[in-house]
Amino acid sequence: IILGLSLLSPAVLLWTRNRLHNFCKNRFGGEGLLACMNLSQNVGRNALAVSSLAIAFMMVISMSIMVHSFRQTVIVWIDQTLRADLFVRVAGGRDIDYQQTLPAESIEKLKSLKGIAAVDQFRALDITYNHLPVVLASGDFSVLSQYGNLVIKSGPSAQELDRLMVRQNRAMVSEAFSIKHKVNTGDTITLQTPKGPAQMEVAAIYFDYSRDRGYIILDRTTFLSYYQDSAINSFVIYIKDKTELDSVRKDVLKTLNDYRLIIRSNSELKTQVLEVFDKTFAITYSLEIIAILVAVLGLFNTLVSLILERKREIGILRFLGAFTGQVKRMILIETGILGLIGSGMGFLAGVIVSYILIFVINKQSFGWTIQVHFPYLSILMMISLFWGISLLSGLYPAKLAEKINPKEAVRVE
């Protein structure tokens, strides 16, 4: 695509000159006509400037669409998946640290607390499957099917999973795991457990964006029968009356005061997830700014060199009666047209590249399915900003052309 942009730039310049010269003449007069015809005066140099602008803008647009699509997909996913009212884990280590555990017996006390409807306990282990790292996890599907939710890609709905998973040799896997290991619903996977190899039928595949290595999920009853490890890493609480959230939080901390816990509400966790997401992709914004600055610098250098090459031409225009303001206006119109061509080509290429990033590169790298969401307002603002910056890059070359002494410029002639 980058090569195609570079090779198409001369043709696009000529096409634009042929289509716009009447408009520029009618709208901007002689300066507009000359600016439009100048597009083909030095096609090679102009094409380099346009292609660099288009490539930079392509990167900006494609990354913006990809990041926005990923963010919106994650927002929809967490809204559908995070149904619990309180999320509790042991303090210490990273957010995803399976070395920190709690004894399951202490959690049993919470089930009798006033206001708590259900508790879902979570345990996970880092294991290998086909020589690749994966996460083996367990949860209470009887609670999940009644109170929680998962976004299922293939298989029965989350509300039906309890009858398939509880006390059964079945597993549910994440989309990333299914793609990396080419596993579908109905297939059998083999887990190396302390009791020896265990055959698990894949009951469902679900969407997950928390870890790219992939998850294998067992019901807690199945996990305990093979691993006999009752400790848990975290748990979620479903509350009967949402207005009692603060009082239930205090009761949980009081009941488990022997342990250092981090407890978050549903809204707090969702906010933190998006904060982590935005911090993760903050570097892309810096890269986009650098790309724009490099491209604009390229356009600036091209315009300055063109002005120096066209000193005699500008001098002759002055002798023919062109005012300095008209010469300056001609250069600015030419700059605006070049910026417009670069923005248009970059936008079209950026949309194509964004689809490649989302549906090819992202899926191969992480195994995640992302829905395309266009940030229409942001794209419009970026096009306007990019074009405006391109136009500003022509101010100094225009000032340079304005200061050319016509007598010195045409002395050789």
Side-chain angles (χ1 to χ4, degrees), residues 70-303:
F70 196 2
R71 193 177 194 277
Q72 290 303 116
T73 300
V74 169
I75 289 173
V76 172
W77 173 67
I78 62 177
D79 283 341
Q80 294 178 336
T81 303
L82 302 183
R83 295 288 181 85
D85 300 293
L86 292 173
F87 298 81
V88 189
R89 72 172 181 90
V90 185
R94 297 170 288 110
D95 276 345
I96 302 178
D97 188 352
Y98 302 135
Q99 304 304 316
Q100 309 292 329
T101 60
L102 279 171
E105 296 75 20
S106 60
I107 307 304
E108 293 299 320
K109 306 174 188 175
L110 300 179
K111 296 180 181 179
S112 60
L113 290 179
K114 180 184 176 183
I116 293 181
V119 178
D120 188 356
Q121 303 171 71
F122 180 81
R123 178 74 168 112
L125 301 170
D126 286 314
I127 65 169
T128 58
Y129 184 87
N130 288 342
H131 308 293
L132 291 175
V134 299
V135 179
L136 174 67
S138 68
D140 192 338
F141 277 85
S142 59
V143 175
L144 173 70
S145 296
Q146 185 176 355
Y147 297 96
N149 189 43
L150 287 173
V151 184
I152 304 297
K153 179 181 180 180
S154 175
S157 66
Q159 287 66 42
E160 302 175 67
L161 286 174
D162 55 342
R163 63 180 179 82
L164 295 174
M165 299 289 294
V166 178
R167 303 186 186 280
Q168 302 291 329
N169 276 13
R170 290 195 178 97
M172 182 174 63
V173 300
S174 66
E175 180 192 25
F177 179 90
S178 71
I179 291 175
K180 289 183 178 181
H181 299 279
K182 297 179 174 59
V183 172
N184 295 310
T185 52
D187 293 348
T188 300
I189 59 175
T190 302
L191 299 178
Q192 301 301 324
T193 73
K195 286 190 172 184
Q199 303 288 325
M200 299 289 172
E201 179 188 349
V202 177
I205 299 170
Y206 73 104
F207 290 105
D208 176 81
Y209 301 96
S210 59
R211 302 193 77 177
D212 61 344
R213 61 178 55 182
Y215 279 94
I216 302 172
I217 310 291
L218 305 177
D219 182 69
R220 185 162 175 78
T221 56
T222 308
F223 179 83
L224 290 175
S225 67
Y226 283 100
Y227 288 86
Q228 297 177 340
D229 183 358
S230 63
I232 63 169
N233 300 116
S234 61
F235 59 94
V236 299
I237 298 173
Y238 297 91
I239 298 175
K240 296 175 183 177
D241 185 354
K242 310 298 181 184
T243 60
E244 297 180 353
L245 188 143
D246 290 333
S247 61
V248 171
R249 187 203 293 252
K250 292 176 183 177
D251 291 340
V252 170
L253 292 173
K254 184 178 179 180
T255 305
L256 301 177
N257 59 359
D258 293 336
Y259 306 97
R260 294 176 61 245
L261 302 175
I262 294 176
I263 181 166
R264 302 184 184 93
S265 66
N266 188 292
S267 59
E268 289 169 348
L269 184 62
K270 289 179 179 178
T271 300
Q272 187 179 33
V273 168
L274 293 179
E275 285 178 356
V276 171
F277 181 94
D278 292 334
K279 287 179 182 178
T280 302
F281 285 96
I283 186 64
T284 61
Y285 305 126
S286 302
L287 293 174
E288 290 170 6
I289 292 171
I290 292 170
I292 291 174
L293 292 177
V294 170
V296 170
L297 183 62
L299 178 62
F300 175 81
N301 290 335
T302 299
L303 290 170

